[in-house]
């Protein structure tokens, strides 16, 4: 599985919605359950899935899923 | 020393003349801005000790941000933040804290806009590495302009370093007649809000507060207190949003952007929504730098099995801290505790609706006029009552 597919699984798990299909342009506006609670839950779940740590500012600067994938890939490499 | 306030001749003169010097694309624009900022800062100094301590306080983060950057040193940044918050508390004169610690408060002055310096400095330090990576300008001139910008020196709004620099580098169009009329119209409205509406509301709030002891019955005292809280709520709104109108419009005349800080806050349906509409730049700052890291630490640790409880505690602590930041006496702690409580109740209610109502029912609730106005009345009353701790010794009164 590539990063996007793995990330999609995390999204589906956190938001409890198996129909979520991620694109690079996906933002919080596209997913009903994406609020301040689930946002932080999502970050922690992604950290666990990829065995990574994100800083406050890295998370703050993300504008969409595409940037999130790029950040994960950069950290993994 | 000149007192810097929105009605002072000095303030109005600087605001009126600044566009002539700043509304251009000259390569010297940032230096001209720096000269004005330094001049405004210097004339607001009351003593040499204030100038020396102020200069050290302002400059230290610029030189230390790089020291605490990088994978091996970033983890020690908490030491820097702890020292900064401690120095801030000392300079802001948190008497109860330092009396308890038996530490004498030797400086008899308060640095203008001190708490806003702290917010901007923390943003600069937190963003430092990413700004470097992105190639955003980090020079002493840019840093000082960011920290000392005379538009936001008095009471914000809280700008972010990156946004500030990108805005400074933006090409500005020549000032048109329409720009001047639009800007002045908003500035005059701001002055009317501050000196007419807020002045009247403030006078009435003080009158009702001073007369609270004259009532013998519980109901009449409660009624008088509510009237005091009502007028005080309007005083705070008109005073602060009017001030923001003034600085936003004057900054626009100089081709600079100061972030909007209010969005009709008294129409909020919940305390959560209120804080998304009132003092927006502060809400966003505490969300980014207190709430999110705290909640994330909770989720990664003690609240991994119960995220909802972790969120409530993170929200409660965040708003309590924000309350303490607002002022140095116990009234502000109580104010913060009430804000925290209000946010937790609003968040819990939303979570309850989400869990027990269908999506359609939740959407119908959002559009329901009765629910909307009931929510607005409850929120507005709660906010006014909690705002009564701002600027008045309500705790002393209750004792």
């Amino acid at each position: 599985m590539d990063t996007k597919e793995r990330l999609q699984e995390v999204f589906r798990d956190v938001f409890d919605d198996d129909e979520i299909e991620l694109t690079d342009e996906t933002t919080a506006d596209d997913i009903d359950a994406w609020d301040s609670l689930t946002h932080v839950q999502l970050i922690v779940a992604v950290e666990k899935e990829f065995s990574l740590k994100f800083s406050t500012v890295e998370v703050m600067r993300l504008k969409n899923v595409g940037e999130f994938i790029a950040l994960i890939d950069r950290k993994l490499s | 020393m000149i007192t810097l306030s929105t009605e002072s001749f000095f303030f109005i003169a600087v605001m009126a003349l600044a566009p002539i010097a700043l509304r251009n694309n000259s390569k010297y624009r940032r230096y001209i801005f720096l000269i004005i900022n330094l001049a405004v800062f210097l004339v607001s100094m009351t003593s040499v000790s204030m100038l020396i301590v102020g200069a050290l306080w302002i400059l230290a983060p610029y030189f230390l941000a790089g020291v605490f950057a990088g994978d091996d040193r970033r983890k020690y940044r908490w030491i820097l933040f702890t020292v900064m918050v401690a120095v801030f508390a000392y300079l802001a004169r948190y008497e109860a804290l330092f009396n308890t610690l038996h530490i004498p408060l030797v400086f008899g002055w308060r640095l203008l806009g001190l708490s806003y310096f702290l917010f901007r400095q923390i943003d600069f330090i937190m963003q430092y590495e990413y700004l470097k990576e992105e190639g955003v300008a980090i020079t002493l001139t840019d840093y000082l302009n960011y920290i000392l910008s005379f538009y936001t020196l008095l009471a914000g709004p809280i700008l972010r370093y990156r946004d500030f620099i990108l805005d400074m580098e933006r090409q500005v169009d020549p000032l048109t007649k329409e720009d001047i009329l639009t800007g002045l119209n908003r500035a005059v409205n701001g002055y009317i809000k501050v000196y007419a509406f807020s002045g009247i509301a403030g006078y009435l709030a003080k009158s009702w507060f001073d007369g609270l002891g004259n009532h013998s019955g519980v109901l009449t005292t409660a009624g008088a207190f509510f009237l005091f809280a009502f007028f005080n709520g309007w005083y705070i709104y008109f005073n602060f949003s009017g001030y923001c109108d003034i600085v936003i419009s004057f900054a626009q005349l100089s081709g600079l952007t100061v972030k909007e800080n209010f969005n009709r806050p008294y129409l909020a349906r919940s305390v959560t929504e209120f804080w998304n509409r009132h003092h927006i730049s502060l809400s966003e700052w505490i969300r980014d730098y207190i709430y999110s890291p705290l909640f994330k630490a909770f989720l990664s640790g003690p609240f991994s099995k119960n995220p909802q409880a972790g969120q409530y505690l993170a929200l409660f602590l965040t708003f309590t801290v924000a309350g303490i930041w607002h002022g140095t006496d116990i009234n502000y702690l109580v104010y913060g505790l009430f804000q925290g409580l209000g946010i937790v109740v609003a968040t819990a209610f939303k979570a309850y609706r989400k869990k027990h109502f269908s999506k359609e029912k939740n959407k119908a609730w959002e559009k329901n006029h009765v629910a909307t106005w009931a929510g607005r009345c409850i929120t507005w009353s709660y906010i006014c009552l909690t705002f009564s701790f701002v600027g008045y010794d309500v705790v002393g009164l209750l004792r």
Side-chain angles (χ1 to χ4, degrees), chain A residues 31-42:
Chain A
I31 297 172
D32 280 346
W34 197 337
D35 58 21
S36 61
L37 170 70
T38 49
H39 178 71
V40 182
Q41 282 180 287
L42 176 72

Side-chain angles (χ1 to χ4, degrees), chain B residues 54-364:
Chain B
L56 287 173
W57 164 256
I58 287 162
L59 289 170
Y62 175 76
F63 294 105
L64 292 174
V67 176
F68 288 87
D71 288 340
D72 50 342
R73 285 175 289 177
R74 196 183 303 121
K75 56 180 177 283
Y76 299 114
R77 219 160 35 187
W78 66 269
I79 300 171
L80 178 62
F81 290 139
T82 307
V83 172
M84 284 173 69
V85 170
V87 174
F88 160 75
Y90 190 81
L91 294 178
R93 303 178 67 79
Y94 280 80
E95 287 179 11
L97 173 67
F98 290 99
N99 287 346
T100 311
L101 297 170
H102 301 291
I103 298 172
L105 293 164
V106 294
F107 301 115
W109 39 258
R110 283 184 198 201
L111 204 61
L112 189 73
L114 180 67
S115 50
Y116 287 94
F117 285 156
L118 184 69
F119 287 127
R120 290 193 282 265
Q121 288 166 329
I122 290 178
D123 179 69
F124 175 76
I125 295 165
M126 289 293 287
Q127 299 276 349
Y128 183 82
E129 289 175 65
Y130 303 95
L131 296 167
K132 283 229 145 188
E133 202 177 288
E134 208 182 328
V136 176
I138 303 177
T139 66
L140 190 56
T141 302
D142 293 312
Y143 172 80
L144 287 174
N145 278 336
Y146 170 61
I147 298 291
L148 295 174
S149 169
F150 62 86
Y151 287 111
T152 52
L153 188 66
L154 281 175
I158 306 158
L159 304 178
R160 302 300 177 93
Y161 185 86
R162 182 178 182 275
D163 297 341
F164 175 82
I165 298 301
L166 295 182
D167 187 52
M168 277 295 288
E169 290 171 350
R170 182 173 58 92
Q171 289 286 308
V172 289
D173 300 325
L175 200 58
T176 64
K177 197 173 150 190
E178 202 185 328
D179 292 332
I180 297 170
L181 289 176
T182 313
L184 288 183
N185 180 40
R186 186 166 180 187
V188 169
N189 281 335
Y191 273 102
I192 292 171
K193 271 184 178 175
V194 174
Y195 293 101
F197 295 155
S198 143
I200 294 166
Y203 171 78
L204 291 170
K206 191 172 181 319
S207 302
W208 282 102
F209 184 79
D210 291 343
L212 280 175
N214 302 335
H215 304 278
S216 50
V218 175
L219 272 180
T220 49
T221 309
F225 188 88
F226 192 82
L227 278 170
F228 146 67
F230 166 82
F231 287 119
N232 189 47
W234 282 114
Y235 163 77
I236 290 172
Y237 170 71
F238 283 127
N239 196 283
F240 198 10
S241 74
Y243 155 81
C244 288
D245 285 336
I246 293 169
V247 295
I248 290 169
S249 55
F250 278 131
Q252 266 170 357
L253 290 177
S254 289
L256 295 167
T257 310
V258 172
K259 192 179 159 56
E260 293 292 342
N261 215 20
F262 286 86
N263 177 21
R264 298 186 292 175
Y266 288 160
L267 288 181
R269 289 173 49 144
S270 69
V271 179
T272 313
E273 194 187 333
F274 174 80
W275 280 101
N276 285 326
R277 289 166 168 266
H278 166 90
H279 205 345
I280 299 166
S281 63
L282 173 71
S283 303
E284 290 179 350
W285 192 98
I286 60 173
R287 177 199 66 199
D288 290 344
Y289 292 127
I290 304 178
Y291 166 73
S292 294
L294 192 61
F295 182 28
K296 189 161 166 266
F298 284 170
L299 275 187
S300 310
F303 290 95
S304 57
K305 297 276 183 277
N306 194 349
Q308 197 78 63
Q311 187 191 28
Y312 296 156
L313 185 62
L315 282 169
F316 187 74
L317 291 174
T318 300
F319 276 85
T320 303
V321 169
I324 297 169
W325 162 80
H326 274 80
T328 55
D329 69 54
I330 192 164
N331 285 284
Y332 291 95
L333 169 65
V334 177
Y335 163 72
L337 291 170
F338 275 124
Q339 293 308 330
L341 182 69
I343 286 267
V344 169
V345 170
T347 310
F349 182 58
K350 193 178 175 190
Y352 175 86
R353 278 199 291 117
K354 207 169 153 186
K355 193 174 174 186
H356 295 280
F357 292 2
S358 63
K359 257 186 192 174
E360 290 69 31
K361 212 171 173 183
N362 266 317
K363 275 188 182 159

